[in-house]
Amino acid sequence: MSLESPGSRCEQLARQIQVFGRIMPTAETVAKIEAVTIEDVQLAAQAIFRAAPTLATMGPAGQVPNLRKISEMLVV
């Protein structure tokens, strides 16, 4: 995936500067990831699945279940 190529690394650093206004040290990134709790993930999932899904297809759309059926499959 060449995420560590010079060009890719420059893009990552530029994105950090755009989003955070600085380059984030690796240790800070790791600390933020490790600080995520199960509750954080559950709250994010609830927020995502609260909205109606959006469907996009490519190719023969006749073989794709309709949006209502997909929505029903997502309900727990």
Side-chain angles (χ1 to χ4, degrees):
M1 290 206 259
S2 62
L3 294 176
E4 293 303 321
S5 70
S8 222
R9 187 68 184 129
C10 286
E11 288 176 17
Q12 291 171 9
L13 295 173
R15 196 169 18 260
Q16 289 178 14
I17 292 170
Q18 287 178 323
V19 173
F20 304 110
R22 63 189 175 86
I23 295 174
M24 285 182 55
T26 303
E28 184 179 350
T29 302
V30 170
K32 286 179 182 259
I33 291 169
E34 289 177 345
V36 175
T37 65
I38 291 171
E39 291 79 18
D40 294 332
V41 175
Q42 289 172 333
L43 287 172
Q46 287 172 0
I48 290 168
F49 289 111
R50 200 172 291 136
T54 302
L55 178 64
T57 64
M58 232 175 112
Q63 298 175 9
V64 178
N66 69 35
L67 187 56
R68 182 174 306 231
K69 184 170 180 123
I70 293 171
S71 294
E72 290 169 358
M73 291 188 290
L74 294 173
V75 176
V76 185

